[in-house]
Amino acid sequence: MHLDVQDLRNFYYRSALGRAAQASLRDRMMRIWPEAKGQTVVGYGFATPLLRPYLADARRVIALMPGPQGVMPWPSGMPNVSVLTEETLWPIETGHVDKLVLLHGLETSERVSDLLEECWRVLGPGGRALFIVPNRAGLWARRDRTPFGYGRPYSTGQLETQLRKHQFLPERHLGALYQVPSAKRLWMKSAPALERIGRGMPSFIASGAFMVEATKLVYPPKGKVLPKRSVQPVGVLNPSAKPV
């Protein structure tokens, strides 16, 4: 079940807790991908809170939003790069994406296998994907007042198994959202300290979400490869005998 785009926009851009979550996720992503100069960057789901740092230097930035969720224009005050798309039929050519970010796209999908196949299709040689999902052991997955309380939360083992089944190689993972998912003043003031402390702990215990960076695997064909046989055109045969 996809969340409505209005609810996602209100959380990330119009609430203090959402802006803090945006900062935590973006800081962790920038640690992995500090730049994308001359590259094509695509976000799927509701990845716009994380894509702004790449607008200046990337060759192209595209924000794909699934039909059941809805779409909003983004970025504000600049030419729109948001696209409403089918969940498993993206308007992107095969192998043209250098960096792919999924936020609120995988855990809410009812066609996870088809979605991962589409991710694999659009990712180019040497491209990298970043899958961000709720941590099933974290506090954020237990609070339905945030977008991380919807859909199917994952453990690191579950997500990595899914990725390997669809020809992705998990390279590394990071935790995020170590603060308490509450907008109360006490917890908001302590959020920076909790983030610093949490990053020194195992992500599967403390984090509200985690990120898995993966690369695309391309396997060679199995068995003996036979040369392709060329088909020669057959001309029209002339009759060899007169009919009786």
Side-chain angles (χ1 to χ4, degrees):
M1 178 187 70
H2 289 279
L3 293 171
D4 187 84
V5 69
Q6 299 294 336
D7 296 331
L8 292 166
R9 183 190 64 178
N10 292 338
F11 175 75
Y12 279 107
Y13 295 105
R14 298 182 179 180
S15 72
L17 182 61
R19 288 191 292 270
Q22 178 181 161
S24 175
L25 294 170
R26 185 187 294 177
D27 288 347
R28 301 301 275 170
M29 184 188 72
M30 295 303 293
R31 180 179 174 182
I32 303 175
W33 296 345
E35 56 84 26
K37 187 174 182 179
Q39 298 180 351
T40 296
V41 181
V42 173
Y44 175 78
F46 195 78
T48 54
L50 309 182
L51 299 180
R52 183 171 288 275
Y54 301 127
L55 287 173
D57 297 328
R59 185 170 69 92
R60 182 180 294 113
V61 176
I62 304 172
L64 300 176
M65 300 190 183
Q69 169 189 291
V71 68
M72 72 173 194
W74 185 86
S76 177
M78 298 176 66
N80 177 63
V81 299
S82 291
V83 179
L84 186 68
T85 181
E86 292 286 343
E87 186 177 12
T88 58
L89 189 61
W90 298 354
I92 298 177
E93 294 183 10
T94 299
H96 274 56
V97 177
D98 299 299
K99 285 183 168 61
L100 175 64
V101 184
L102 270 76
L103 176 62
H104 304 306
L106 194 63
E107 73 272 16
T108 56
S109 175
E110 296 180 356
R111 303 171 61 187
V112 174
S113 292
D114 294 338
L115 177 59
L116 288 175
E117 288 178 3
E118 190 70 355
C119 294
W120 189 91
R121 180 187 69 83
V122 301
L123 206 61
R128 293 179 176 272
L130 188 65
F131 299 91
I132 306 172
V133 294
N135 181 3
R136 64 177 301 179
L139 293 176
W140 287 72
R142 306 175 191 179
R143 294 291 300 274
D144 57 5
R145 295 183 180 181
T146 77
F148 295 90
Y150 291 85
R152 176 190 174 184
Y154 285 83
S155 67
T156 53
Q158 289 175 332
L159 180 56
E160 289 182 359
T161 299
Q162 282 275 18
L163 295 179
R164 287 192 176 95
K165 284 173 59 179
H166 293 86
Q167 298 188 33
F168 283 101
L169 177 63
E171 297 283 357
R172 54 180 167 175
H173 60 82
L174 294 176
L177 299 180
Y178 293 97
Q179 66 190 83
V180 177
S182 172
K184 292 184 178 180
R185 186 176 181 182
L186 172 63
W187 294 118
M188 292 299 297
K189 289 181 66 176
S190 62
L194 292 174
E195 289 286 335
R196 288 193 301 269
I197 296 171
R199 291 176 185 182
M201 301 174 63
S203 61
F204 64 88
I205 295 177
S207 65
F210 60 86
M211 307 174 172
V212 174
E213 182 191 28
T215 54
K216 176 179 180 177
L217 290 176
V218 181
Y219 294 110
K222 297 181 179 179
K224 186 177 180 181
V225 179
L226 300 176
K228 185 177 179 181
R229 298 171 60 185
S230 59
V231 179
Q232 299 294 334
V234 178
V236 178
L237 298 178
N238 294 324
S240 60
K242 294 182 179 181
V244 177

